[in-house]
């Protein structure tokens, strides 16, 4: 009987020992670092890089990314452009829209991870859509944007010296914006990263727009009705 009890006690002691050794080999920090990140929210999901255009200066939009498994050394990208992380709170990353960013994806990769180009997936990578808007940062000071579609012509009435905001749909090919007014106009055209080109006091300008993007622009005119053809 003693021999039986001794055998049982021996098994329990060594069984627990082996169990402890096994559990201690699972490093929680190592497991966290090798788990892919998970993004649960991005706030806001629309923003702008820094704008430092003539008569219009706006700071880059601060973005808060919430989620899990970000690790101790995550990398945030807006498409392929790395953004500076100003604070890492473990489940929250604080960053700003970097110069050159454009609409596409914001991604987080952790240690040893990489994201596929212009994608929201990869190895140890997660992402979601992010939209660059050059006009929203102004609190839409010129009223609602007027949409001009490829192949479309519209007429717009101006009351006094007035600025109106416009955007195109996503152009399938390069197009020219043809402006027809009885007064000179000033046109500000934003590229996809919100840097502006100004056409000041022009008579009926013809302005090239690139393919593959939706272009935002302002047009300022006197009391006149103008035609715009794309």
């Amino acid at each position: 009987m003693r021999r039986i009890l001794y055998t049982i006690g021996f098994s329990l002691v060594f069984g627990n020992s082996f169990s402890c050794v096994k559990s201690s080999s699972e490093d929680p920090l190592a497991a966290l670092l090798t788990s892919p990140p998970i993004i649960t929210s991005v706030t806001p999901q629309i923003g702008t890089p820094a704008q430092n255009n003539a008569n219009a200066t706006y700071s880059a939009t601060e973005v808060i990314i919430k989620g899990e498994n970000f690790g101790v050394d995550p990398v945030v990208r807006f498409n392929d452009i790395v953004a500076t992380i100003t604070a890492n709170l473990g489940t929250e990353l604080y960053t700003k829209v970097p110069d050159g960013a454009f609409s596409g994806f914001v991604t987080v990769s952790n240690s040893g991870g990489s994201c596929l180009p212009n994608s929201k997936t990869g190895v140890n990578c997660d992402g979601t859509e992010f939209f660059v808007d050059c006009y929203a940062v102004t609190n839409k000071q010129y009223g609602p944007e007027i949409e001009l579609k490829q192949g479309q012509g519209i007429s717009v009435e101006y009351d006094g010296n007035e600025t109106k905001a416009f955007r195109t749909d996503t152009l399938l090919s390069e197009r020219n914006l043809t402006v027809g007014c009885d007064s000179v106009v000033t046109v500000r055209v934003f590229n996809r990263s919100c840097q502006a080109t100004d056409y000041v006091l022009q008579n009926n300008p013809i302005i090239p727009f690139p393919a593959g993007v939706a272009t935002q622009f302002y047009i300022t005119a006197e009391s006149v009705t103008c035609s715009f053809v794309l």
Side-chain angles (χ1 to χ4, degrees), residues 155-176:
S155 294
V156 177
E157 184 176 349
Y158 283 82
D159 183 15
N161 187 279
E162 189 178 12
T163 299
K164 294 184 182 291
F166 298 81
R167 74 180 302 131
T168 71
D169 57 350
T170 301
L171 301 182
L172 301 178
S173 60
E174 293 183 0
R175 306 288 293 191
N176 287 327

Side-chain angles (χ1 to χ4, degrees), residues 107-181:
T107 62
V108 177
S109 57
N110 59 22
S111 181
S114 62
C115 303
L116 296 173
N118 294 319
S119 170
K120 60 180 180 180
T121 60
V123 178
N124 280 356
C125 170
D126 191 25
T128 189
E129 289 183 316
F130 188 86
F131 302 94
V132 168
D133 190 306
C134 309
Y135 182 48
V137 69
T138 72
N139 294 319
K140 299 190 181 293
Q141 62 178 330
Y142 303 127
E145 283 181 295
I146 300 169
E147 186 176 25
L148 182 59
K149 295 183 178 181
Q150 181 172 307
Q152 182 184 44
I154 59 174
S155 294
V156 177
E157 184 176 349
Y158 283 82
D159 183 15
N161 187 279
E162 189 178 12
T163 299
K164 294 184 182 291
F166 298 81
R167 74 180 302 131
T168 71
D169 57 350
T170 301
L171 301 182
L172 301 178
S173 60
E174 293 183 0
R175 306 288 293 191
N176 287 327
L177 170 67
T178 301
V179 178
C181 284

Side-chain angles (χ1 to χ4, degrees), residues 6-230:
Y6 177 81
T7 303
I8 294 172
F10 182 88
S11 300
L12 289 173
V13 169
F14 277 84
N16 289 338
S17 298
F18 290 136
S19 176
C20 291
V21 170
K22 182 179 180 182
S23 62
S24 65
S25 66
E26 295 177 357
D27 187 339
L29 179 58
L32 178 63
L33 292 177
T34 56
S35 298
I38 299 172
I39 295 175
T40 56
S41 68
V42 173
T43 308
Q45 213 164 344
I46 298 175
T48 181
Q51 294 187 37
N52 190 17
N53 306 310
N55 304 316
T57 300
Y58 300 98
S59 299
T61 302
E62 183 175 75
V63 176
I64 303 172
I65 303 171
K66 294 183 179 182
E68 304 173 12
N69 303 333
F70 292 151
V72 296
D73 192 23
V75 178
V76 173
R77 291 181 176 86
F78 288 75
N79 295 317
D80 296 332
I81 299 176
V82 175
T84 299
I85 297 173
T86 55
N88 179 358
L89 304 185
T91 58
E92 294 183 8
L93 302 176
Y94 287 73
T95 187
K96 291 184 177 181
V97 181
D99 291 346
F102 54 90
S103 293
F105 302 105
V106 57
T107 62
V108 177
S109 57
N110 59 22
S111 181
S114 62
C115 303
L116 296 173
N118 294 319
S119 170
K120 60 180 180 180
T121 60
V123 178
N124 280 356
C125 170
D126 191 25
T128 189
E129 289 183 316
F130 188 86
F131 302 94
V132 168
D133 190 306
C134 309
Y135 182 48
V137 69
T138 72
N139 294 319
K140 299 190 181 293
Q141 62 178 330
Y142 303 127
E145 283 181 295
I146 300 169
E147 186 176 25
L148 182 59
K149 295 183 178 181
Q150 181 172 307
Q152 182 184 44
I154 59 174
S155 294
V156 177
E157 184 176 349
Y158 283 82
D159 183 15
N161 187 279
E162 189 178 12
T163 299
K164 294 184 182 291
F166 298 81
R167 74 180 302 131
T168 71
D169 57 350
T170 301
L171 301 182
L172 301 178
S173 60
E174 293 183 0
R175 306 288 293 191
N176 287 327
L177 170 67
T178 301
V179 178
C181 284
D182 289 335
S183 73
V184 294
V185 298
T186 293
V187 183
R188 168 168 288 179
V189 180
F190 295 92
N191 69 11
R192 64 180 184 171
S193 299
C194 297
Q195 297 307 301
T197 299
D198 291 324
Y199 301 82
V200 181
L201 300 178
Q202 300 279 309
N203 283 299
N204 299 328
I206 298 176
I207 300 170
F209 281 177
V213 298
T215 297
Q216 295 177 282
F217 58 103
Y218 305 154
I219 297 180
T220 304
E222 299 293 337
S223 296
V224 69
T225 297
C226 296
S227 66
F228 306 117
V229 179
L230 186 60

